[in-house]
Amino acid sequence: MPGFLKEFLNRNGTGMGLAILGLVLFWTIGLIILPQLSMLDFSFRPNLPPPEIGGPKDVYTLENYRYLVFGPEGGSQDYNTVDLRVFFRTLVAAVCVTIFNLILCYPIAYYLGQTKGNHIRIFAIMLIIPYWINEILRAFALRIIFGETGVLNTMLVGMGVWDTPFDFIRNDIALYAGLGYAYILLMIFPMYNVIESLDKNQIEAARDLGAPWWRIHWRVVIPYAKPGISSGCTMVFMLSAGALAAPQILGGPSSLWFTQLIYQQFNDNNDWPQGAAYAIVLLVTCILFVLAVMRLFKVNMGDIGK
Amino acid sequence: MSAGVGVDLENLWIRFGDFVAVRDANVNINGGDFFSFLGPSGCGKTTILRAVSGFLEPSEGNVLIGGNNMKGIGPNKRPTALIFQNLALFPLMKVWENITFSMEIKGASSAERRKRADELLEMIALPDQGDKLPSELSGGQRQRVAIARALCAEPDVLLLDEPLSALDLKLRQHMRTELREIQKRVGITFIYITHDQGEALTMSDNIAVMRAGVIDQIADGKTIYNDPATAFAASFVGENNVFRGKIKRVMGNEALIATNRSGDLVARISTANQGKMKEGDDAMMFIRPEALAIAPDGATGDHFVTARVNHEEFEGNAFNIFTEGDGGKEIKVSLPNLGQSFEDHTGQIITLEYETRNAVLVPAGELAAE
């Protein structure tokens, strides 16, 4: 038995230790790893009617992955441009949402983290309470704000900023706003956690040595907050790329999100293997992308947990 | 070496809401001086330092550095550098980057910065440590890096906020000497904040003793120790025995005091209060433990004190006798250990004597908390 396991059992007692261990293993293996493995298995199989499952046609194939890149066999185009475009657009848009969120949330997190007083707790509560409202309702509320006859357009047209209503939805502004808003907390709180522990004297020392405010952030605060920034960015990127409700409700008619394609495969086409393949591609690409960016910015895996 | 840049505080008031942190401070600090603000925690000394460094705007009055009014000038534009109590080194920057941070801001090249860092590391006796992180250094080494970082900015005035308080006793004493040497070498004005009278006395050219936002006395260390202006200065700096009473008669620069429990005693009126004290005033007389000696039994007069011995202790360099004193406070007598034999006096009534020049009289006032 490895040392850490022995210590764990000693500390918690054998019975309790085994129970905790069992639950954790059930959680990770039973509820996360096995379903994902079964999805992986699905993705390599053809979509067959129930009677043929297990029959001679039920063999492993790369067809589902091939389909994403090249489209239907004998199709008119060399590549599956429609789906690929949606795929890359989703990734680029998720990156944009992440960057937009970072720029928006860093000042908030900095303010919350470096200011003392009771009002900070009130601000934090004001940030949290909107999340009691469910996602669908929040998305539709944004539709009311951004719609053609919505609050924003009525105001702007009324003030004479422009003559005809601007279509925020078709131009995806509502979608970005919705996605950005949905994950604000996941960006703010990891950064806030780190910045709160930054010694105020560090900032004053930099200032005393002649640094202007942007330099203080660039050389002192941001390097210190890096674990929080990377943790927030990773979560926002992963969740934006994997979001479904916001794109469904706030996305323009011409701008599908890749998750919507996956949903269609599973639900409308009843093609689980195809859907599983798309989902796996999205998952793996996102993980590789995040790892690459982490490497670029010299962030350790351990920092993410901070 | 230039004479250095002086700092003047003119009618400086600093308030936080209703709380007055600094009350009408007037201080002239000579260029090139090692000047200390000495006082207990919460007396406003750090507030003064923040006003000089620019992190705090005074409510009233002016801060002048080199004769220039600093009103409205931010900390990053003042010719001062501050060494923080916790040093505030940048933990993610290497030692050399820390030291030359001020040059980085001015856009100096990496090669220039390295060269300057090496010079400064040489000066603080930490050669070849530039590539370490601050966390890889010892407390004393970090201390020196903080000094180098501040000096690298080439300030006219270096401000130090109790920078030695985190070090252990031996290192602290060593750093006192070192700080004083560095100050003499660079020749700039040092303003030092401390609650430790030992630090203030050993390093400073001049000391301001502060109490609850008020500066009680500004003088060199010897004067403050030997000739305190107030009861607070007398009781805060070094150990002192207090005798309360009323002035019975003023005789030039001396006075006879009717003390509460030791009869009529004679004392020297402290220089700052000469001509200001008169018959009937409440007064406090201070005598240092080392200025008291045991007198032959039965001696009486206006410089003898009789008291019952409560307990005694042997301190190594001195033999201490504690007797009943005024207002519940014990009188401490410190007899230097010169190899003589000490007899046990516990429980006996002994007579103590002192020389008039060692008994300092000041107006009655607040004493420093023990």
Side-chain angles (χ1 to χ4, degrees):
Chain A
M1 199 180 340
F4 72 92
L5 200 60
K6 196 177 251 168
E7 200 194 308
F8 176 77
L9 289 180
N10 279 341
R11 198 175 325 134
N12 297 290
T14 313
M16 187 51 96
L18 283 177
I20 295 173
L21 208 60
L23 284 172
V24 170
L25 287 180
F26 172 71
W27 166 256
T28 47
I29 295 174
L31 297 180
I32 299 173
I33 296 177
L34 283 182
Q36 293 300 325
L37 282 178
S38 120
M39 275 294 153
L40 192 66
D41 181 63
F42 263 126
S43 75
F44 288 109
R45 289 177 185 279
N47 191 26
L48 299 169
E52 290 186 42
I53 288 175
K57 281 190 179 172
D58 196 359
V59 288
Y60 283 118
T61 165
L62 287 172
E63 170 55 27
N64 298 317
Y65 292 92
R66 199 201 61 79
Y67 182 88
L68 171 62
V69 182
F70 300 107
E73 237 164 325
S76 56
Q77 280 171 314
D78 292 341
Y79 291 100
N80 188 353
T81 41
V82 178
D83 289 7
L84 282 177
R85 189 172 293 156
V86 171
F87 176 68
F88 287 113
R89 225 182 55 94
T90 302
L91 290 184
V92 171
V95 170
C96 291
V97 168
T98 309
I99 293 171
F100 169 75
N101 249 7
L102 178 61
I103 293 168
L104 182 75
C105 295
Y106 175 79
I108 300 174
Y110 178 75
Y111 177 77
L112 291 178
Q114 282 292 308
T115 316
K116 302 274 168 281
N118 263 336
H119 65 290
I120 291 306
R121 214 171 311 152
I122 296 168
F123 282 172
I125 290 170
M126 277 161 57
L127 282 169
I128 291 167
I129 293 226
Y131 288 84
W132 292 0
I133 297 161
N134 66 55
E135 199 187 347
I136 307 273
L137 214 53
R138 263 186 286 134
F140 275 108
L142 281 176
R143 255 193 105 97
I144 294 172
I145 294 172
F146 285 112
E148 203 145 349
T149 55
V151 181
L152 206 54
N153 265 319
T154 314
M155 254 171 55
L156 290 171
V157 173
M159 281 160 62
V161 178
W162 49 63
D163 305 331
T164 50
F166 181 77
D167 195 339
F168 289 107
I169 290 181
R170 192 174 291 277
N171 287 294
D172 283 340
I173 289 175
L175 173 58
Y176 292 147
L179 282 173
Y181 182 50
Y183 306 120
I184 270 185
L185 284 190
L186 295 173
M187 189 61 104
I188 290 179
F189 279 103
M191 284 199 280
Y192 163 75
N193 257 337
V194 182
I195 292 175
E196 199 194 14
S197 68
L198 173 63
D199 174 14
K200 229 188 175 71
N201 286 350
Q202 301 253 327
I203 295 165
E204 293 200 336
R207 218 169 132 217
D208 188 59
L209 291 166
W213 66 269
W214 59 269
R215 194 121 196 177
I216 296 172
H217 282 279
W218 184 246
R219 287 292 277 147
V220 179
V221 186
I222 292 178
Y224 186 83
K226 205 163 79 171
I229 292 173
S230 35
S231 169
C233 285
T234 323
M235 278 198 279
V236 170
F237 172 75
M238 288 288 195
L239 289 170
S240 303
L244 183 61
Q248 199 96 290
I249 297 164
L250 293 166
S254 60
S255 59
L256 273 176
W257 211 248
F258 195 66
T259 47
Q260 288 171 281
L261 290 186
I262 299 172
Y263 180 79
Q264 280 173 8
Q265 298 290 359
F266 274 104
N267 216 49
D268 304 349
N269 302 355
N270 210 10
D271 190 347
W272 280 49
Q274 188 65 65
Y278 273 33
I280 298 277
V281 168
L282 181 64
L283 177 68
V284 171
T285 313
C286 284
I287 290 175
L288 290 179
F289 179 77
V290 164
L291 289 178
V293 173
M294 276 169 64
R295 183 148 200 172
L296 188 67
F297 288 101
K298 300 198 178 76
V299 181
N300 297 323
M301 207 43 155
D303 292 341
I304 298 283
K306 279 184 188 165
Chain B
M1 192 62 64
S2 70
V5 170
V7 176
D8 301 301
L9 310 180
E10 295 179 341
N11 308 104
L12 196 73
W13 287 76
I14 298 170
R15 298 188 189 86
F16 300 109
D18 289 337
F19 176 71
V20 181
V22 176
R23 188 182 295 271
D24 199 20
N26 283 286
V27 185
N28 302 306
I29 300 170
N30 297 326
D33 255 15
F34 196 120
F35 191 96
S36 294
F37 284 93
L38 172 65
S41 60
C43 73
K45 55 194 194 299
T46 298
T47 311
I48 284 189
L49 198 73
R50 291 179 67 78
V52 175
S53 62
F55 286 109
L56 202 126
E57 272 300 319
S59 314
E60 272 175 56
N62 296 311
V63 174
L64 275 65
I65 300 179
N68 301 316
N69 197 330
M70 288 291 125
K71 194 174 265 287
I73 298 177
N76 48 354
K77 305 279 185 212
R78 292 194 184 191
T80 56
L82 175 59
I83 296 181
F84 290 80
Q85 189 164 10
N86 66 355
L87 308 181
L89 294 175
F90 306 124
L92 301 171
M93 289 185 210
K94 288 179 177 161
V95 166
W96 76 270
E97 291 176 291
N98 258 292
I99 291 177
T100 58
F101 184 72
S102 55
M103 297 173 73
E104 182 191 324
I105 290 155
K106 289 178 192 139
S109 75
S110 189
E112 275 177 86
R113 295 175 56 202
R114 280 291 329 207
K115 191 163 158 283
R116 182 79 180 116
D118 286 342
E119 286 169 19
L120 283 162
L121 284 166
E122 195 75 43
M123 189 195 90
I124 57 169
L126 286 177
D128 309 319
Q129 309 278 320
D131 282 313
K132 287 190 175 169
L133 287 171
S135 56
E136 293 168 310
L137 301 179
S138 72
Q141 290 174 330
R142 277 204 288 274
Q143 184 72 60
R144 296 205 280 257
V145 171
I147 294 166
R149 182 177 71 173
L151 290 177
C152 185
E154 298 184 332
D156 293 330
V157 181
L158 192 68
L159 309 168
L160 303 100
D161 186 5
E162 307 211 24
L164 304 187
S165 56
L167 304 179
D168 62 52
L169 182 68
K170 273 267 185 316
L171 197 52
R172 206 153 63 215
Q173 285 171 341
H174 171 74
M175 286 305 295
R176 281 181 195 172
T177 323
E178 200 162 306
L179 266 179
R180 187 61 172 147
E181 270 172 18
I182 289 172
Q183 193 262 340
K184 281 190 175 140
R185 211 173 320 149
V186 295
I188 61 172
T189 312
F190 274 39
I191 300 181
Y192 192 89
I193 296 294
T194 184
H195 66 271
D196 183 325
Q197 32 120 356
E199 282 179 14
L201 290 174
T202 48
M203 292 191 284
S204 319
D205 294 309
N206 281 299
I207 301 170
V209 179
M210 279 193 83
R211 164 184 60 94
V214 179
I215 295 176
D216 265 20
Q217 187 174 14
I218 302 175
D220 61 86
K222 268 194 207 111
T223 305
I224 287 188
Y225 193 84
N226 293 330
D227 198 11
T230 65
F232 179 81
S235 55
F236 187 73
V237 182
E239 286 182 290
N240 232 333
N241 296 306
V242 61
F243 298 81
R244 291 161 226 252
K246 270 192 185 351
I247 296 181
K248 206 169 175 184
R249 198 163 67 239
V250 178
M251 309 158 288
N253 290 336
E254 294 182 359
L256 193 67
I257 311 105
T259 63
N260 293 349
R261 74 168 297 283
S262 304
D264 292 356
L265 294 173
V266 67
R268 170 175 65 85
I269 300 174
S270 73
T271 311
N273 297 298
Q274 282 171 11
K276 294 176 193 163
M277 300 180 80
K278 56 184 193 305
E279 276 178 43
D281 283 359
D282 285 328
M284 286 180 172
M285 181 179 97
F286 288 92
I287 306 176
R288 301 272 177 199
E290 63 269 23
L292 286 164
I294 296 178
D297 283 341
T300 53
D302 58 12
H303 57 283
F304 293 98
V305 177
T306 51
R308 184 183 299 278
V309 175
N310 284 341
H311 61 104
E312 297 179 320
E313 70 183 19
F314 177 65
E315 204 189 342
N317 60 346
F319 186 75
N320 301 321
I321 304 170
F322 296 88
T323 74
E324 291 167 340
D326 181 10
K329 277 179 116 179
E330 290 183 320
I331 296 171
K332 179 179 177 183
V333 183
S334 193
L335 305 171
N337 181 4
L338 305 170
Q340 76 274 41
S341 61
F342 296 105
E343 27 174 332
D344 184 5
H345 299 95
T346 309
Q348 295 173 17
I349 290 175
I350 57 168
T351 305
L352 301 168
E353 66 176 324
Y354 64 89
E355 291 179 48
T356 311
R357 64 186 161 97
N358 289 329
V360 183
L361 193 71
V362 295
E366 190 191 324
L367 298 177
E370 297 271 307

mmCIF file of all heavy atoms in Angstrom, chain B residues 158-178:
data_model
loop_
_atom_site.group_PDB
_atom_site.id
_atom_site.type_symbol
_atom_site.label_atom_id
_atom_site.label_comp_id
_atom_site.label_asym_id
_atom_site.label_seq_id
_atom_site.Cartn_x
_atom_site.Cartn_y
_atom_site.Cartn_z
ATOM 1 N N LEU B 158 16.043 59.145 2.484
ATOM 2 C CA LEU B 158 15.634 57.752 2.652
ATOM 3 C C LEU B 158 14.755 57.662 3.899
ATOM 4 O O LEU B 158 15.133 58.139 4.967
ATOM 5 C CB LEU B 158 16.867 56.863 2.797
ATOM 6 C CG LEU B 158 16.593 55.362 2.703
ATOM 7 C CD1 LEU B 158 16.174 54.998 1.285
ATOM 8 C CD2 LEU B 158 17.828 54.564 3.079
ATOM 9 N N LEU B 159 13.585 57.066 3.731
ATOM 10 C CA LEU B 159 12.644 56.951 4.839
ATOM 11 C C LEU B 159 12.600 55.492 5.273
ATOM 12 O O LEU B 159 12.449 54.605 4.443
ATOM 13 C CB LEU B 159 11.254 57.404 4.391
ATOM 14 C CG LEU B 159 11.209 58.776 3.714
ATOM 15 C CD1 LEU B 159 9.855 58.995 3.061
ATOM 16 C CD2 LEU B 159 11.500 59.866 4.716
ATOM 17 N N LEU B 160 12.738 55.255 6.569
ATOM 18 C CA LEU B 160 12.773 53.871 7.052
ATOM 19 C C LEU B 160 11.706 53.683 8.119
ATOM 20 O O LEU B 160 11.718 54.360 9.146
ATOM 21 C CB LEU B 160 14.153 53.544 7.621
ATOM 22 C CG LEU B 160 15.346 53.738 6.676
ATOM 23 C CD1 LEU B 160 16.042 55.051 6.957
ATOM 24 C CD2 LEU B 160 16.327 52.590 6.783
ATOM 25 N N ASP B 161 10.780 52.771 7.858
ATOM 26 C CA ASP B 161 9.667 52.541 8.777
ATOM 27 C C ASP B 161 9.930 51.280 9.602
ATOM 28 O O ASP B 161 9.574 50.185 9.191
ATOM 29 C CB ASP B 161 8.370 52.402 7.977
ATOM 30 C CG ASP B 161 7.158 52.306 8.880
ATOM 31 O OD1 ASP B 161 7.317 52.443 10.101
ATOM 32 O OD2 ASP B 161 6.051 52.083 8.357
ATOM 33 N N GLU B 162 10.550 51.439 10.734
ATOM 34 C CA GLU B 162 10.893 50.322 11.622
ATOM 35 C C GLU B 162 11.423 49.112 10.860
ATOM 36 O O GLU B 162 10.902 48.007 11.008
ATOM 37 C CB GLU B 162 9.670 49.889 12.443
ATOM 38 C CG GLU B 162 9.037 51.038 13.182
ATOM 39 C CD GLU B 162 8.386 50.626 14.472
ATOM 40 O OE1 GLU B 162 8.778 49.591 15.025
ATOM 41 O OE2 GLU B 162 7.506 51.358 14.943
ATOM 42 N N PRO B 163 12.433 49.292 10.040
ATOM 43 C CA PRO B 163 12.832 48.178 9.166
ATOM 44 C C PRO B 163 13.522 47.048 9.920
ATOM 45 O O PRO B 163 13.657 45.962 9.379
ATOM 46 C CB PRO B 163 13.789 48.832 8.171
ATOM 47 C CG PRO B 163 14.364 49.981 8.916
ATOM 48 C CD PRO B 163 13.296 50.463 9.851
ATOM 49 N N LEU B 164 13.942 47.290 11.149
ATOM 50 C CA LEU B 164 14.688 46.242 11.852
ATOM 51 C C LEU B 164 13.808 45.412 12.777
ATOM 52 O O LEU B 164 14.262 44.461 13.390
ATOM 53 C CB LEU B 164 15.824 46.872 12.673
ATOM 54 C CG LEU B 164 16.808 47.739 11.905
ATOM 55 C CD1 LEU B 164 17.964 48.144 12.807
ATOM 56 C CD2 LEU B 164 17.349 47.005 10.699
ATOM 57 N N SER B 165 12.521 45.778 12.866
ATOM 58 C CA SER B 165 11.701 45.156 13.909
ATOM 59 C C SER B 165 11.492 43.665 13.700
ATOM 60 O O SER B 165 11.213 42.945 14.645
ATOM 61 C CB SER B 165 10.355 45.867 14.002
ATOM 62 O OG SER B 165 9.723 45.866 12.750
ATOM 63 N N ALA B 166 11.647 43.176 12.452
ATOM 64 C CA ALA B 166 11.397 41.756 12.211
ATOM 65 C C ALA B 166 12.634 40.893 12.466
ATOM 66 O O ALA B 166 12.554 39.674 12.412
ATOM 67 C CB ALA B 166 10.912 41.554 10.776
ATOM 68 N N LEU B 167 13.767 41.539 12.758
ATOM 69 C CA LEU B 167 15.002 40.762 12.899
ATOM 70 C C LEU B 167 15.221 40.359 14.354
ATOM 71 O O LEU B 167 14.700 40.983 15.268
ATOM 72 C CB LEU B 167 16.190 41.606 12.430
ATOM 73 C CG LEU B 167 16.090 42.137 11.005
ATOM 74 C CD1 LEU B 167 17.317 42.967 10.681
ATOM 75 C CD2 LEU B 167 15.947 41.005 10.008
ATOM 76 N N ASP B 168 16.033 39.326 14.553
ATOM 77 C CA ASP B 168 16.318 38.943 15.929
ATOM 78 C C ASP B 168 17.355 39.896 16.529
ATOM 79 O O ASP B 168 18.004 40.666 15.826
ATOM 80 C CB ASP B 168 16.744 37.483 16.033
ATOM 81 C CG ASP B 168 18.009 37.207 15.268
ATOM 82 O OD1 ASP B 168 18.989 37.927 15.474
ATOM 83 O OD2 ASP B 168 17.994 36.279 14.447
ATOM 84 N N LEU B 169 17.492 39.837 17.837
ATOM 85 C CA LEU B 169 18.230 40.857 18.584
ATOM 86 C C LEU B 169 19.654 41.082 18.066
ATOM 87 O O LEU B 169 20.064 42.201 17.792
ATOM 88 C CB LEU B 169 18.249 40.468 20.066
ATOM 89 C CG LEU B 169 18.938 41.479 20.974
ATOM 90 C CD1 LEU B 169 18.134 42.755 21.034
ATOM 91 C CD2 LEU B 169 19.113 40.891 22.361
ATOM 92 N N LYS B 170 20.400 39.988 17.894
ATOM 93 C CA LYS B 170 21.795 40.109 17.474
ATOM 94 C C LYS B 170 21.906 40.818 16.128
ATOM 95 O O LYS B 170 22.697 41.732 15.930
ATOM 96 C CB LYS B 170 22.409 38.708 17.369
ATOM 97 C CG LYS B 170 22.989 38.190 18.670
ATOM 98 C CD LYS B 170 24.463 38.543 18.734
ATOM 99 C CE LYS B 170 25.174 37.960 19.935
ATOM 100 N NZ LYS B 170 24.505 38.033 21.206
ATOM 101 N N LEU B 171 21.056 40.360 15.193
ATOM 102 C CA LEU B 171 21.080 40.901 13.843
ATOM 103 C C LEU B 171 20.672 42.371 13.862
ATOM 104 O O LEU B 171 21.208 43.202 13.138
ATOM 105 C CB LEU B 171 20.121 40.089 12.974
ATOM 106 C CG LEU B 171 20.287 40.207 11.471
ATOM 107 C CD1 LEU B 171 21.721 39.939 11.074
ATOM 108 C CD2 LEU B 171 19.368 39.216 10.784
ATOM 109 N N ARG B 172 19.711 42.664 14.736
ATOM 110 C CA ARG B 172 19.210 44.033 14.834
ATOM 111 C C ARG B 172 20.346 44.965 15.263
ATOM 112 O O ARG B 172 20.537 46.022 14.706
ATOM 113 C CB ARG B 172 18.084 44.058 15.865
ATOM 114 C CG ARG B 172 17.096 45.152 15.641
ATOM 115 C CD ARG B 172 15.751 44.787 16.197
ATOM 116 N NE ARG B 172 15.768 44.591 17.629
ATOM 117 C CZ ARG B 172 15.022 43.699 18.254
ATOM 118 N NH1 ARG B 172 14.206 42.921 17.568
ATOM 119 N NH2 ARG B 172 15.067 43.582 19.544
ATOM 120 N N GLN B 173 21.116 44.502 16.249
ATOM 121 C CA GLN B 173 22.207 45.341 16.730
ATOM 122 C C GLN B 173 23.274 45.503 15.665
ATOM 123 O O GLN B 173 23.837 46.579 15.493
ATOM 124 C CB GLN B 173 22.794 44.735 18.009
ATOM 125 C CG GLN B 173 21.862 44.973 19.174
ATOM 126 C CD GLN B 173 22.262 44.214 20.414
ATOM 127 O OE1 GLN B 173 23.014 43.244 20.336
ATOM 128 N NE2 GLN B 173 21.742 44.636 21.552
ATOM 129 N N HIS B 174 23.505 44.426 14.921
ATOM 130 C CA HIS B 174 24.485 44.500 13.850
ATOM 131 C C HIS B 174 24.016 45.460 12.757
ATOM 132 O O HIS B 174 24.791 46.276 12.249
ATOM 133 C CB HIS B 174 24.711 43.106 13.268
ATOM 134 C CG HIS B 174 25.545 43.113 12.035
ATOM 135 N ND1 HIS B 174 26.898 43.321 12.063
ATOM 136 C CD2 HIS B 174 25.201 43.009 10.731
ATOM 137 C CE1 HIS B 174 27.362 43.306 10.828
ATOM 138 N NE2 HIS B 174 26.358 43.124 10.004
ATOM 139 N N MET B 175 22.728 45.373 12.418
ATOM 140 C CA MET B 175 22.198 46.210 11.335
ATOM 141 C C MET B 175 22.203 47.692 11.714
ATOM 142 O O MET B 175 22.304 48.549 10.852
ATOM 143 C CB MET B 175 20.785 45.778 10.958
ATOM 144 C CG MET B 175 20.667 44.486 10.164
ATOM 145 S SD MET B 175 21.627 44.441 8.640
ATOM 146 C CE MET B 175 20.833 45.721 7.680
ATOM 147 N N ARG B 176 22.087 47.986 13.030
ATOM 148 C CA ARG B 176 22.161 49.385 13.467
ATOM 149 C C ARG B 176 23.464 50.003 12.994
ATOM 150 O O ARG B 176 23.489 51.060 12.391
ATOM 151 C CB ARG B 176 22.166 49.445 15.000
ATOM 152 C CG ARG B 176 20.851 49.294 15.654
ATOM 153 C CD ARG B 176 21.085 49.416 17.150
ATOM 154 N NE ARG B 176 19.924 48.945 17.890
ATOM 155 C CZ ARG B 176 19.910 48.798 19.206
ATOM 156 N NH1 ARG B 176 20.983 49.064 19.911
ATOM 157 N NH2 ARG B 176 18.821 48.382 19.810
ATOM 158 N N THR B 177 24.569 49.301 13.314
ATOM 159 C CA THR B 177 25.884 49.799 12.934
ATOM 160 C C THR B 177 25.963 49.935 11.421
ATOM 161 O O THR B 177 26.471 50.918 10.892
ATOM 162 C CB THR B 177 26.960 48.802 13.408
ATOM 163 O OG1 THR B 177 26.556 48.286 14.666
ATOM 164 C CG2 THR B 177 28.302 49.449 13.510
ATOM 165 N N GLU B 178 25.421 48.912 10.740
ATOM 166 C CA GLU B 178 25.547 48.900 9.301
ATOM 167 C C GLU B 178 24.753 50.038 8.658
ATOM 168 O O GLU B 178 25.231 50.706 7.738
ATOM 169 C CB GLU B 178 25.045 47.550 8.784
ATOM 170 C CG GLU B 178 25.568 47.248 7.420
ATOM 171 C CD GLU B 178 25.442 45.784 7.094
ATOM 172 O OE1 GLU B 178 25.925 44.968 7.887
ATOM 173 O OE2 GLU B 178 24.858 45.471 6.055
#
